[in-house]
Amino acid sequence: MRAPGESRRLADMNANRNEIDHVALCDGNTIPQLGLGTYKMDDVQARSAVRYALEVGYRHIDTASLYGNERGVGCGLDDAISDGIVTREDVFVTTKVWNDAQTAEATRKSVRDSLDRMALDYADLVLVHWPVAGQGTFAECFDTLLELKQEGLIRSVGVANFYPEVLDQLSEVPVVNQIELHPQFPQNEQVADDRHRGIVTQAWSPIGRATYLDNSPIADIAAEVGKTPAQVAIRWHLQRGIVAIPKSANRERIRENFEVTDFELTDAHMATIASMARADGRMSADPREFGNE
Ligand SMILES: NC(=O)c1ccc[n+]([C@@H]2O[C@H](COP(=O)([O-])OP(=O)(O)OC[C@H]3O[C@@H](n4cnc5c(N)ncnc54)[C@H](OP(=O)(O)O)[C@@H]3O)[C@@H](O)[C@H]2O)c1
């Protein structure tokens, strides 16, 4: 039980810092618990959004070769470095290897091309984007990323959209598993499985692409605590120990999504949000099927 006033003290403490925690990864590195997603941004949007997000305080950016915006991400980071907002070492940059590049040779080329487009010497994290188990190459991709880590091009190696049967086939524990995860699709079993293995779970589509929050119990909680539904959803992830990467290309919403350290959800709020889980809550592709059809 929280003592009366404790949540207020936490709020006061954090209001001045607006600091996002770092979560320990199993390879000894750490990851900021909140990052900026960039899916669907073009290069121009990504440059401006990344530069602005870094100014607001984000220190974690998520992109992928698939998104076609790595040049914009790299330019936005470079702009922020030139403007004295951050150094390269301050920022955690993730990219991913797409499904058609999972052989050893193609994985090497994919990572080199991503780094060239972002004008970076290294990526903090590279993920195998989907397992596509029927293709039979995800383990080769993962092992090649581990080699690239040894060679200094990557700091940490992880996966996205993995489930127990494919995690079992990897030669090492990936540091993160980035999966679809939002209030209607909380992925309790996969989160528990990841935790058991020592993997940090990252949530993609953490605010459910903003499609249902306004008409959900989260809107009532938001009104009660004086926050927006998106802020409540992001706070729910943080209090569950999940790393969240909400995407916004809009300045007001980029800032809004970062202002989540000056309030706390109660156990009752957390239980209410947990009750939103739905059997049909998945919004995007099922990783057991995606790419194998
Ligand atoms: N590994 C994978 O397979 C995978 C798959 C999908 C996504 N991802 C990553 O995860 C990131 C996040 O997922 P996502 O982009 O699918 O969904 P999301 O972050 O849940 O939602 C993004 C959508 O919500 C809107 N939005 C953002 N903040 C808002 C706010 N405060 N209030 C109202 N609307 C808001 C955005 O529009 P505006 O831009 O106009 O604000 C956008 O339409 C992606 O960008 C990508 O980096 C990874």
Side-chain angles (χ1 to χ4, degrees):
M1 280 286 283
R2 202 181 24 250
E6 189 177 324
S7 137
R8 192 62 251 154
R9 282 201 304 278
L10 180 81
D12 290 341
M13 213 169 65
N14 283 334
N16 298 327
R17 295 186 302 149
N18 207 18
E19 265 179 23
I20 298 296
D21 285 343
H22 282 237
V23 174
L25 301 174
C26 63
D27 65 357
N29 293 327
T30 66
I31 185 170
Q33 209 187 348
L34 181 60
L36 179 75
T38 64
Y39 184 45
K40 304 260 186 206
M41 292 185 200
D42 62 22
D43 276 326
V44 173
Q45 289 174 314
R47 179 175 190 164
S48 154
V50 167
R51 160 71 180 72
Y52 184 68
L54 294 171
E55 184 182 321
V56 165
Y58 288 76
R59 293 293 179 264
H60 171 182
I61 310 293
D62 183 87
T63 183
S65 56
L66 177 78
Y67 302 169
N69 62 20
E70 289 173 310
R71 280 199 175 77
V73 167
C75 287
L77 174 54
D78 194 49
D79 291 344
I81 292 171
S82 302
D83 292 346
I85 294 166
V86 289
T87 64
R88 168 67 187 97
E89 289 295 320
D90 292 333
V91 184
F92 191 99
V93 179
T94 301
T95 191
K96 313 183 188 90
V97 178
W98 189 240
N99 306 342
D100 60 3
Q102 289 189 343
T103 63
E105 196 183 332
T107 296
R108 284 183 167 273
K109 179 170 173 2
S110 174
V111 171
R112 273 197 230 99
D113 288 350
S114 288
L115 292 176
D116 283 351
R117 285 191 288 267
M118 293 189 285
L120 297 181
D121 297 331
Y122 67 91
D124 294 273
L125 175 64
V126 179
L127 309 180
V128 181
H129 205 145
W130 290 83
V132 200
Q135 205 170 259
T137 46
F138 65 81
E140 183 175 343
C141 181
F142 184 78
D143 286 341
T144 307
L145 293 179
L146 292 174
E147 288 172 18
L148 292 170
K149 181 182 174 193
Q150 290 302 319
E151 294 164 27
L153 297 187
I154 297 174
R155 293 267 162 99
S156 291
V157 177
V159 296
N161 304 300
F162 273 48
Y163 45 91
E165 304 92 286
V166 286
L167 287 168
D168 285 345
Q169 294 175 50
L170 296 176
S171 58
E172 262 186 35
V173 177
V175 298
V176 308
N177 188 16
Q178 185 182 106
I179 55 175
E180 180 182 342
L181 202 176
H182 43 85
Q184 285 188 353
F185 194 56
Q187 294 257 36
N188 297 331
E189 285 179 14
Q190 188 57 54
V191 169
D193 183 83
D194 287 345
R195 198 158 285 162
H196 182 69
R197 293 171 195 260
I199 301 171
V200 170
T201 306
Q202 271 190 307
W204 63 257
S205 293
I207 59 170
R209 296 191 169 153
T211 53
Y212 61 78
L213 296 185
D214 287 345
N215 299 307
S216 78
I218 283 186
D220 299 329
I221 297 173
E224 183 191 326
V225 300
K227 286 284 174 176
T228 68
Q231 288 171 326
V232 169
I234 294 165
R235 182 75 208 177
W236 169 75
H237 288 291
L238 301 189
Q239 289 186 209
R240 285 182 92 205
I242 303 288
V243 176
I245 46 169
K247 173 263 174 183
S248 180
N250 169 284
R251 286 187 166 218
E252 265 174 40
R253 291 190 285 276
I254 290 172
R255 180 177 285 280
E256 172 185 331
N257 294 346
F258 196 71
E259 291 178 344
V260 291
T261 55
D262 60 351
F263 73 111
E264 197 181 6
L265 298 173
T266 63
D267 292 347
H269 293 145
M270 295 294 283
T272 300
I273 300 172
S275 73
M276 289 171 60
R278 288 168 44 152
D280 63 349
R282 190 194 291 283
M283 297 172 61
S284 194
D286 183 338
R288 286 185 170 81
E289 291 159 14
F290 185 68
N292 294 317
E293 302 90 351

